Amino acid sequence: MRVGILTGGGDCPGLNAVIRAITVQGKREGWQIIGFKNGWAGVLENKWEELTEDKVEDIHREGGTILYTSRTNPFKEENGLQRIKDTLKETKVDALVAIGGDDTLGVANKLYQEGIKIVGVPKTIDNDLSATDYTFGFDSAVNVAIEAMDRLHTTAKSHNRVIVVEVMGRHAGWITLEAGIGGGAHIILIPEVPFDIEEVCQILIKRKDEGKSYSIVAVAEGAKAAKGSKFLTREVTREEKTDAFGNILLGGIAKVLEKEIAKRTGFETRSMILGHIQRGGRPSAFDRFLATRFGLKAGELVKEEKFGQMASLRGTDIISVPLKEAVGKRKEVPLKLYQEIVKPFWGR
Ligand code: F6P
């Protein structure tokens, strides 16, 4: 049996742990494992390398992906489907494991509908896939953001400043929420709960009046003001163009808020965009463990020929769910959770 693996979409810590787990388990089964390079691009272009136990030794401790990645959408490429089928035939690959987020798994689901034997492994730092309680990469990203906020606290305090820190999470505020709470942000703004800039500034002024000389504002890259506001009625984008899956490239809201807060309050304000630093570096212990469990589950699904399924975490169990359920339904921060956890610390 020959099993192909690919990693697609934005990288995240833990991808290598999945690759290692599938390879180690596959070798026990006597399978040949081949890793396609650069996500779906490698399958389209027939670019791959054979994975051995030696090649994957210890890679679970490293961030990124040894297979490289891309945001290539084969259904946007000429003859994409046929080229994928041709590569699988030529390389004699019996089954594919696609490791990715909503976009990569969406392609996997379409390919499964086209008769390709495929299973999925969910990843994204955004943690916004509804079919799993957690995706690996998220915990590592939250830890990076918390570390950054800890550091920003001391400099903000020393200078009596407001610091706005921008956190990743395209449409879901999970990283901002968890890092904001853990990192002691005084205001937490997420895409799911549009904010009122006037209220934000009033809180900052109130804090100052109470003798609290500095403030940290955590803002998700996709946050925007409530309807009816004249300020920031849509997300701040890095570029107007979209990627091959139609995703907008967000970024820059911290800078916009920095200016607006300084203008409205007169406070010295700075901003910091954490950006891709949240995706880089070594995976946390939680992510290494989860990614390894997901990889082993993917191997089991292949062995049992349960194609069209994806590994998923429910509670403490690793289960499988149909790919078609896994895609297209975003997991957002529920308003109730946001209110329960953010409001008690709002402006404190
Ligand atoms: O989906 C993961 C993510 O890191 C988002 O949080 C972010 O908006 C996006 O990817 C950034 O994408 P890129 O790496 O293409 O700039």
Side-chain angles (χ1 to χ4, degrees):
M1 165 110 127
R2 267 164 83 81
V3 177
I5 309 177
L6 67 96
T7 52
D11 74 319
C12 77
L15 287 167
N16 285 328
V18 182
I19 296 168
R20 171 177 173 263
I22 300 169
T23 306
V24 168
Q25 194 195 26
K27 291 292 165 191
R28 301 277 176 282
E29 297 295 331
W31 301 344
Q32 273 183 311
I33 310 288
I34 72 166
F36 286 102
K37 300 283 186 76
N38 304 312
W40 294 115
V43 194
L44 289 167
E45 293 158 13
N46 201 353
K47 286 205 179 117
W48 52 275
E49 65 171 301
E50 181 154 358
L51 296 176
T52 60
E53 285 195 74
D54 276 353
K55 272 194 190 158
V56 300
E57 193 175 324
D58 285 343
I59 63 168
H60 63 299
R61 300 186 297 128
E62 304 302 333
T65 160
I66 62 159
L67 295 178
Y68 307 95
T69 186
S70 71
R71 295 197 187 273
T72 306
N73 182 350
F75 290 97
K76 288 277 164 65
E77 301 289 324
E78 211 177 327
N79 296 327
L81 176 60
Q82 194 51 49
R83 284 163 64 199
I84 284 188
K85 286 184 173 171
D86 292 346
T87 298
L88 297 181
K89 199 168 167 197
E90 219 170 291
T91 51
K92 297 189 170 59
V93 163
D94 304 289
L96 259 184
V97 181
I99 312 165
D102 203 30
D103 297 330
T104 306
L105 297 176
V107 170
N109 184 41
K110 280 194 194 166
L111 293 176
Y112 173 65
Q113 312 293 334
E114 295 290 339
I116 292 171
K117 293 177 176 169
I118 194 162
V119 301
V121 174
K123 71 87 228 184
T124 163
I125 62 162
D126 294 359
N127 197 37
D128 60 352
L129 292 180
S130 60
T132 183
D133 288 353
Y134 282 97
T135 48
F136 62 86
F138 170 68
D139 184 68
S140 305
V142 168
N143 283 311
V144 171
I146 284 185
E147 159 90 28
M149 282 186 212
D150 285 348
R151 289 173 184 272
L152 292 171
H153 265 273
T154 60
T155 176
K157 195 170 188 173
S158 305
H159 285 265
N160 304 313
R161 282 173 174 162
V162 174
I163 295 191
V164 184
V165 50
E166 179 175 318
V167 179
M168 270 188 175
R170 209 179 261 139
H171 304 290
W174 292 106
I175 311 176
T176 311
L177 180 68
E178 290 206 10
I181 292 295
H186 306 104
I187 294 178
I188 298 175
L189 307 175
I190 63 172
E192 295 89 334
V193 188
F195 63 87
D196 175 358
I197 186 68
E198 189 49 37
E199 186 194 349
V200 168
C201 291
Q202 285 310 319
I203 289 164
L204 296 173
I205 292 167
K206 186 166 163 278
R207 277 181 55 78
K208 195 74 124 192
D209 290 347
E210 287 168 351
K212 293 163 182 162
S213 65
Y214 79 105
S215 295
I216 301 291
V217 178
V219 61
E221 58 182 355
K224 56 182 182 305
K227 277 205 179 76
S229 162
K230 287 195 182 71
F231 168 76
L232 212 62
T233 47
R234 53 165 293 193
E235 296 100 337
V236 179
T237 52
R238 259 182 286 155
E239 289 174 38
E240 278 310 307
K241 67 170 195 192
T242 55
D243 68 19
F245 290 92
N247 298 307
I248 43 173
L249 299 175
L250 297 171
I253 187 172
K255 200 92 210 136
V256 175
L257 282 176
E258 174 193 329
K259 289 209 178 88
E260 193 68 17
I261 288 169
K263 192 176 90 188
R264 289 180 183 239
T265 62
F267 299 158
E268 199 175 15
T269 308
R270 296 286 187 271
S271 62
M272 166 88 226
I273 300 175
L274 296 183
H276 293 83
I277 203 164
Q278 295 158 101
R279 290 222 311 249
R282 296 186 152 188
S284 65
F286 180 89
D287 283 339
R288 293 181 201 198
F289 193 61
L290 179 61
T292 301
R293 291 183 79 197
F294 276 173
L296 294 175
K297 184 69 181 181
E300 183 190 303
L301 291 172
V302 170
K303 188 177 170 193
E304 292 174 357
E305 302 198 349
K306 290 188 177 157
F307 299 113
Q309 298 276 313
M310 178 194 93
S312 151
L313 177 72
R314 280 292 181 229
T316 54
D317 294 333
I318 302 291
I319 60 162
S320 71
V321 293
L323 273 172
K324 68 170 179 309
E325 271 175 34
V327 293
K329 206 171 152 223
R330 192 179 298 138
K331 181 175 66 188
E332 296 183 341
V333 175
L335 184 61
K336 186 170 171 289
L337 173 66
Y338 178 82
Q339 282 171 342
E340 262 168 30
I341 194 154
V342 170
K343 290 297 170 195
F345 303 101
W346 192 238
R348 289 180 63 86

